[in-house]
Structure formats: C-alpha cells, structure tokens
Amino acid sequence: MRKDLPLELRVSRLTVTSLRNLCDAKKLTGWSNLLKDDLVRFVIGNMDRKALEDFLTTQEEIYFVENMAKAIKLAGGRKIIDLDPESDDTIVNAVFSLRKSDGYEVYHIRFVNQTNEDVDTSCECVEHREKGYFCQHQMAVLVRCLQEGLFTIDQWSGPMTPEAEDLIQANVFKKKRPRK
C-alpha cells in the first residue's frame, strides 16, 4: 500500500461508481454528469483532504485483503507460478501463468526485497503497471515464496496489511491437527 503516491493517482484508481457513491455519501453536488477525469478532479477539489485520504486508505486495504485471499488460492496451483531456482530472500523472479477461457494470462514478476527502503516489485499487468497496485499476481508469487520457505513473512519488507498477514498465517502456515 503506497500512501506516498500522488493523491490524484490514488483517487483515479477508484471506479466511477465508487467516486459517485463517495460524492453522494458526502452530500456533494454538481458531480452527477462528470466523466471520470473530471470526477477525480471534482472529488479532490471538493472533499476534505484528510477524509479523502482515510477513504482511500480503507479502499486500498480492502483491495489488498480481497486480492490476497485470491492469491492464496492461486499460489496453491503448482502450474500457475514458476519460481526461478536462482531466487532467494533478496531477489525473486517468477512467471505467473493462468489458463483462461480466451487463452493464457502470463506475467513476469520480480521482487527485490533487501530493506524496508529498498523494496521493488514489478508485474506487467495493468493493475501494477498503470495503477501502481501490488497486484494479485505479485501476491500469489509472495505466497508461493512463503510456502516454499524462500523467506519468512518477517523477512518480507514489501506491502502488507495486518489483515492480509492474518490470512496468510491462517491459510499458508496452518498447523495440521494431530490425528487421533
């Protein structure tokens, strides 16, 4: 989650429906006929900055948790993520490929995970490339790295929320109950 991104980019990630619902909830007027770009500028110009940032943070956390839940399921598919055998706890390279009804979705994922200040992740998908999100493809590779013991969740210095960490703990590192 990148709160250091420009406010306009963070607002532009929202859907038109979300922007309109926000305007309606805040009882703003004059927005109903605006297209997305104008709606983004309208929201930025007419909403209290702190309230807007709080709303964005909440939306980004929801996005992160929902996509982490999907990523945990995807990471279990051994054919979906191909980790480069040269990967380690500082640099991970992987290929994410998922068969879809209209062909394959294939993305190259890279993590540079050295310090909190030096985390770089990349994916070729629109969610990451254009919106700057830590996407579900990257999350799935992260989960696979954790499953494979490439590094621990404590060693991961990239994006994470407490809720997503709880999901990972509950679904990736769940302890098997002893048989009676």
Side-chain angles (χ1 to χ4, degrees), residues 22-165:
L22 177 60
C23 289
D24 193 35
K26 295 298 181 182
K27 303 204 182 326
L28 300 174
T29 58
W31 54 266
S32 61
N33 292 326
L34 299 177
L35 298 177
K36 183 159 185 180
D37 289 342
D38 293 328
L39 194 53
V40 166
R41 285 189 289 279
F42 179 85
V43 167
I44 292 170
N46 290 285
M47 252 188 94
D48 173 69
R49 186 174 178 96
K50 171 85 170 93
L52 181 56
E53 287 178 351
D54 289 347
F55 178 79
L56 292 170
T57 298
T58 300
Q59 293 302 306
E60 291 161 351
E61 288 172 356
I62 290 168
Y63 170 90
F64 199 89
V65 171
E66 287 176 348
N67 280 289
M68 185 58 77
K70 293 175 190 172
I72 289 169
K73 290 179 184 175
L74 292 171
R78 295 289 173 201
K79 294 182 180 180
I80 295 174
I81 299 167
D82 182 25
L83 281 176
D84 180 344
E86 300 292 316
S87 296
D88 59 25
D89 64 335
T90 60
I91 297 176
V92 174
N93 289 299
V95 177
F96 176 99
S97 59
L98 183 63
R99 183 162 192 208
K100 298 198 141 199
S101 60
D102 58 345
Y104 280 90
E105 176 180 23
V106 178
Y107 300 109
H108 292 84
I109 315 293
R110 181 178 177 89
F111 298 147
V112 177
N113 179 43
Q114 296 178 342
T115 67
N116 285 341
E117 294 79 37
D118 190 18
V119 172
D120 186 33
T121 66
S122 65
C123 180
E124 301 156 330
C125 76
V126 171
E127 291 288 299
H128 178 75
R129 190 173 26 102
E130 293 181 10
K131 296 183 177 182
Y133 280 127
F134 186 69
C135 66
Q136 71 177 345
H137 313 109
Q138 292 166 304
M139 291 179 195
V141 171
L142 170 62
V143 170
R144 175 57 65 79
C145 290
L146 296 169
Q147 288 172 332
E148 300 286 328
L150 202 55
F151 49 82
T152 66
I153 199 145
D154 294 338
Q155 292 171 309
W156 173 246
S157 48
M160 185 59 61
T161 66
E163 297 84 4
E165 187 171 340

Side-chain angles (χ1 to χ4, degrees), residues 161-178:
T161 66
E163 297 84 4
E165 187 171 340
D166 289 346
L167 273 174
I168 291 169
Q169 294 292 353
N171 293 288
V172 176
F173 301 116
K174 57 186 169 194
K175 294 186 172 143
K176 294 184 179 174
R177 295 180 187 175

